[in-house]
Every structure is written in structure tokens, then in C-alpha cells.
């Protein structure tokens, strides 16, 4: 018997939750385990003292009255998640306890004392409080957004919905909602969309779809996003989700698409008209310009009266202007017709292309004593005519913008590309160079960085280069330094996806 009492005492002393025994109607402390002494925070000298003297702060909280009433009426008192303010180490601190006052009886069946047990649930209370705040914030945010929430118990088929959900679906709050009631409001043509979404949800756990539902006299678009929740056995148990009215967004998107389609159609027609106009005008201008050059030549070579120095100067300027006009017309014709017809794709040796370009430009190369160095170059797929024109324009550009007192040197090499499936070609020269602030402008049509009196051209050469490279699904970039030279980096695919461009 003595061993059993020792065992019981040892268990109570080491219990993690507070326990105490009070005797008589003054509730004298007969016993308090270490957990209770720590909870009171008044030191260990409490045995034999009155309960109210040790923790006087409980009187204003009605806790002492609860204990005394349990002693006098022999009716146990239980409190759950009850706030208890205790002066612990001289500081009033807020706690939350589950506690009880349980009457103790003697052999004659009379109440002689109380057993007080408690469980500190402060952390749990605060966690629940934060959860309630979070849920309330979430509810307010969802309500403010106009979205409706719902929850489906897959076992009972019961459906819980928010006020916004009921407004969107136009269902009554008082009637038990069923899946059949909801599907009856869906547009018949959209039921298959919902079925596919649920089939996908069985694989991914997510259900997302957009459908039309009956609303007033017509239908409105809604969006549904939901998640399937599984139980401990990985069996689907609940579906939680949100519903959002997206009818206005749908109408806006449809109207925007109509406007984009109409604008695209009009832009395409306008571009075609402009290209046609450019082609026709350029073509029709060729003959008048040719005649200006011919008759100006007659004026210089076949006049019976010798021209004065000033007249010869004017005639020479007419000839220069006619040449520039002819260059511009040819450039516009090339630019306007570049995309007008498809080009057959074939295998191209870039080295052979560069060799032919050297032959084409043989006279100007010899005139300027230019040196063109061609390194090993790869083969690619592309339109031969366009690729030839691309590098012809680049080499011609380097020859044109060479320094007056320095023979041009142009290096054309291939370096390893960091982009898989592409080749990188570098074209470098030692000409007048390029200011980095202009690298974004030189590929624009009719963009000139230098005076037309200093350098011939129509302002379309590099713009044509960019169009050709883009048509081949590649890229071109320029760089350089004023007075040092310019360089161009061309990235081209090794293979083309189709038989034509």
C-alpha cells in the first residue's frame, strides 16, 4: 500500500500539468505539484496557506467563487479555454487554461476538499486566434474581389457556399444545394468542358474551367478554380474552390480581338497598298531619271557652244543628283519586293558567296586597293539570292565608308556560336567606324549617319540586310569605334524548317 502511495505521489509530482488539493471552506492548500507552483509564480512556500492568499488576483476573475461554489454544492466546475491573469514573478501575465474544481469526499460521503487541475492552453489559444484572424482576412478579401467560395463533401455530397457564390449562381441560401441543381444551370454546350476539367483534376488534383451559366434571361461567363483534398488514406474527400464572374472580361476580350483582327486586316491592306505604290512609283520613276542622265550627258558632250565653268559645275551636280535618285529608286524596288515572293531554300557555301562578291566588286576593290580576307566559312541553308545580297551589301558598306588615306581592309570570319544550331559570321573593317550610340539606328530604312555629299547611297542597304536576316530567322548586330572601324555580327541558322522562305 505504501509503495502504491509513493508511486501515485511520484506521478503527480512529475505530471506536466498543474494539480493542487484544497481543504475546508477556506480552501487551505494541502498539496500543490511543481507545475501548479510554477503556474502561480509565488514561490514554493504555499502549503498550508489559503488559496486566495496565494493568488488574490483570481477573486476579481470569479475563479475563487467558482472553486468555493464547487466545494459547497458538491458540483464539479469545468472551464475550457478560459482567460486567467496571474501575477507571475511580479508581472501580471495573461494565460489561457482548461481547468477544473472537483469535490473530494470522506468516508461518510461528505465534501472535505477540492482537487484543482489545469492545462495551459495559451499557445493553442493564440494559434486559434491567429487562424481566426487569417480566415477573416481571407473571407474579406474574397468577398471584396467578388469571388464566391464553395466546399463539397464527396462522401455526403453536401455543398457549403458563400454569399457571393449564391449571388453569382442565383441560388437560394435556404435550400440544400445539390450538384444536379448546379449542372442544370450550366449551358448544355459547356458540360463537356466541365467533364474534361474533372477528368484532368483526377490526375492533377486541380480543377479549372470556364463555362456559361443561366443568369437572369441569358447566360454569363464564370471561371471555376478548385482543389481536390484527400484524406489520410489518399482518397478524395473534399473539393474546395472559388467561382468568379468573368462575363465583362470575356466581352472585353472578344471586342478587343475583333478590333485587333480588323486593325490587322486594315494594316495588312495598307502595307500591301504602300508596297504596291512604292513599286509602281519607283518603277515609273526609273525612265524619267534615265532620260535626265542621257540629256544631261548630251548637254556636256554634244553642245556646239562650250559650257562655262559654272555651267559645267551645274551639269555635273545634275548628273550626281540623278545617280543618287537612281540608287534610291533601285533600293526602294528591292526593299518593297523583298517579301513579295517566296524563295527556294538550298544548301549554300558562304565561302563561295564571298568569293563571288569579290569578283562582283573587283573594280572598286582595285580602285581603293582594298584587301578582303575570307576565313574558313561554313555551309548553311537559305535563299542563295538573298544571302548573296546580304553579304554584298555589308562588304559594299565597308568599302563605301573607308578612310580616304588608308586602303580598306575587310575581314570575314566564322567563330563558334554559343547558340545551338546557328553559325556566327563576323564582318570587320578598318574604316571610319561607328559611334556606339548609333548602332540602333543604322538598320532603319533611309537612315543616314553621314552626309549624302560625302558618301553615296540610298540609306536602304543595311535595312535590307536586316530584313534578309530576319527572313532567315537570324539576327544582325553592329558595333565599332569612331576612327577605328565597324564590325557586324550575323547569326544564321544552319538549317531552315521549310523548303521555301
Amino acid at each position: 500500500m505504501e509503495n502504491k502511495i509513493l508511486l501515485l505521489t511520484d506521478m503527480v509530482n512529475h505530471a506536466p500539468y498543474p494539480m493542487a488539493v484544497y481543504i475546508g471552506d477556506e480552501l487551505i492548500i494541502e498539496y500543490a505539484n511543481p507545475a501548479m507552483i510554477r503556474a502561480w509564480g509565488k514561490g514554493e512556500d504555499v502549503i498550508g496557506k489559503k488559496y486566495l492568499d496565494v493568488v488574490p488576483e483570481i477573486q476579481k476573475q470569479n475563479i475563487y467563487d467558482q472553486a468555493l461554489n464547487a466545494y459547497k454544492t458538491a458540483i464539479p466546475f469545468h472551464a475550457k479555454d478560459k482567460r486567467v491573469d496571474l501575477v507571475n514573478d511580479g508581472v501580471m501575465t495573461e494565460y489561457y487554461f482548461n481547468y477544473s474544481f472537483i469535490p473530494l469526499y470522506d468516508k461518510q460521503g461528505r465534501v472535505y476538499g477540492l482537487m484543482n487541475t489545469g492545462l495551459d492552453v495559451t499557445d493553442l489559444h493564440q494559434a486559434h486566434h491567429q487562424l481566426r484572424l487569417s480566415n477573416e482576412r481571407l473571407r474579406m478579401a474574397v468577398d471584396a474581389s467578388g469571388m464566391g467560395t464553395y466546399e463539397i463533401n464527396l462522401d455526403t455530397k453536401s455543398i457549403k457556399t458563400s454569399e457571393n457564390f449564391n449571388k453569382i449562381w442565383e441560388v437560394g441560401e435556404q435550400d440544400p444545394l445539390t450538384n444536379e441543381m448546379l449542372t442544370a444551370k450550366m449551358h448544355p454546350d459547356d458540360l463537356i468542358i466541365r467533364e474534361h476539367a474533372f477528368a484532368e483534376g483526377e490526375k492533377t488534383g486541380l480543377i479549372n474551367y470556364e463555362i456559361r451559366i443561366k443568369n437572369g434571361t441569358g447566360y454569363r461567363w464564370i471561371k471555376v478554380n478548385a482543389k481536390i483534398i484527400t484524406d489520410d488514406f489518399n482518397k478524395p474527400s473534399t473539393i474546395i474552390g472559388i467561382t468568379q464572374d468573368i462575363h465583362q472580361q470575356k466581352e472585353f476580350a472578344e471586342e478587343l480581338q475583333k478590333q485587333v483582327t480588323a486593325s490587322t486586316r486594315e494594316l495588312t491592306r495598307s502595307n500591301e497598298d504602300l508596297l504596291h505604290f512604292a513599286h509602281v512609283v519607283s518603277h515609273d520613276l526609273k525612265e524619267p531619271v534615265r532620260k535626265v542622265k542621257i540629256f544631261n550627258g548630251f548637254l556636256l558632250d554634244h553642245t556646239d557652244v562650250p559650257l562655262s565653268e559654272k555651267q559645267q559645275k551645274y551639269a555635273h551636280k545634275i548628273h550626281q543628283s540623278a545617280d543618287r535618285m537612281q540608287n534610291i529608286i533601285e533600293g526602294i524596288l528591292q526593299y518593297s519586293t523583298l517579301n513579295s515572293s517566296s524563295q527556294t531554300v538550298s544548301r549554300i557555301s558562304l565561302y563561295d558567296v564571298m568569293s563571288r562578291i569579290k569578283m562582283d566588286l573587283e573594280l572598286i576593290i582595285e580602285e581603293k586597293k582594298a584587301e578582303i580576307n575570307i576565313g574558313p566559312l561554313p555551309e548553311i541553308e537559305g535563299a542563295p539570292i538573298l544571302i548573296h545580297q546580304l553579304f554584298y551589301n555589308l562588304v559594299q558598306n565597308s568599302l563605301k565608308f573607308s578612310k580616304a588615306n588608308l586602303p580598306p581592309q575587310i575581314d570575314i570570319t566564322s567563330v563558334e556560336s554559343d547558340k545551338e544550331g546557328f553559325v556566327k559570321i563576323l564582318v570587320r573593317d578598318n574604316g571610319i567606324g561607328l559611334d556606339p550610340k548609333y548602332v540602333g539606328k543604322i538598320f532603319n530604312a533611309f537612315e543616314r549617319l553621314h552626309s549624302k555629299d560625302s558618301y553615296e547611297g540610298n540609306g536602304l542597304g543595311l535595312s535590307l540586310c536586316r530584313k534578309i536576316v530576319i527572313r532567315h530567322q537570324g539576327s544582325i548586330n553592329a558595333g565599332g569605334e569612331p576612327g577605328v572601324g565597324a564590325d557586324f555580327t550575323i547569326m544564321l541558322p544552319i538549317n531552315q524548317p521549310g523548303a521555301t522562305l
Side-chain angles (χ1 to χ4, degrees), residues 243-268:
T243 295
Q244 185 178 9
D245 187 329
I246 59 169
H247 195 73
Q248 288 186 343
Q249 294 95 309
K250 275 283 187 180
E251 288 185 331
F252 177 78
E254 290 175 0
E255 179 61 27
L256 183 62
Q257 183 59 45
K258 290 179 183 177
Q259 293 181 13
V260 169
T261 302
S263 297
T264 303
R265 190 183 304 115
E266 178 62 24
L267 184 61
T268 300

Side-chain angles (χ1 to χ4, degrees), residues 208-250:
N208 303 296
Y209 58 92
E210 295 178 3
I211 59 170
R212 291 161 290 178
I213 61 172
K214 288 180 182 177
N215 189 283
T217 57
Y219 285 90
R220 293 185 67 83
W221 280 98
I222 66 164
K223 183 176 183 179
V224 176
N225 298 102
K227 183 177 179 63
I228 300 175
I229 308 300
T230 57
D231 59 18
D232 294 339
F233 302 98
N234 205 32
K235 176 186 175 184
S237 60
T238 309
I239 296 177
I240 58 173
I242 58 174
T243 295
Q244 185 178 9
D245 187 329
I246 59 169
H247 195 73
Q248 288 186 343
Q249 294 95 309
K250 275 283 187 180

Side-chain angles (χ1 to χ4, degrees), residues 242-368:
I242 58 174
T243 295
Q244 185 178 9
D245 187 329
I246 59 169
H247 195 73
Q248 288 186 343
Q249 294 95 309
K250 275 283 187 180
E251 288 185 331
F252 177 78
E254 290 175 0
E255 179 61 27
L256 183 62
Q257 183 59 45
K258 290 179 183 177
Q259 293 181 13
V260 169
T261 302
S263 297
T264 303
R265 190 183 304 115
E266 178 62 24
L267 184 61
T268 300
R269 185 196 62 78
S270 177
N271 285 341
E272 289 174 352
D273 290 346
L274 286 172
L275 289 174
H276 179 70
F277 175 78
H279 185 271
V280 170
V281 171
S282 300
H283 190 273
D284 291 348
L285 283 174
K286 289 175 69 175
E287 184 60 23
V289 172
R290 188 180 71 85
K291 287 183 178 179
V292 168
K293 292 179 67 176
I294 290 173
F295 287 114
N296 188 62
F298 287 160
L299 184 64
L300 286 170
D301 301 332
H302 304 289
T303 180
D304 295 333
V305 180
L307 298 178
S308 67
E309 184 178 343
K310 182 176 290 188
Q311 288 173 329
Q312 290 183 10
K313 178 181 178 182
Y314 290 157
H316 183 66
K317 284 187 175 292
I318 291 173
H319 187 79
Q320 285 183 320
S321 297
D323 277 344
R324 282 200 297 271
M325 178 62 76
Q326 194 169 41
N327 283 334
I328 291 173
I329 291 170
E330 291 295 337
I332 291 175
L333 279 171
Q334 289 180 335
Y335 193 80
S336 63
T337 58
L338 181 60
N339 294 329
S340 61
S341 60
S342 62
Q343 297 285 333
T344 301
V345 170
S346 60
R347 202 72 186 167
I348 303 170
S349 167
L350 293 182
Y351 185 86
D352 291 346
V353 169
M354 296 301 176
S355 299
R356 285 194 295 270
I357 290 172
K358 283 183 69 174
M359 292 176 61
D360 293 342
L361 296 172
E362 184 177 5
L363 291 179
I364 188 173
I365 291 173
E366 185 176 333
E367 177 189 335
K368 292 200 170 192

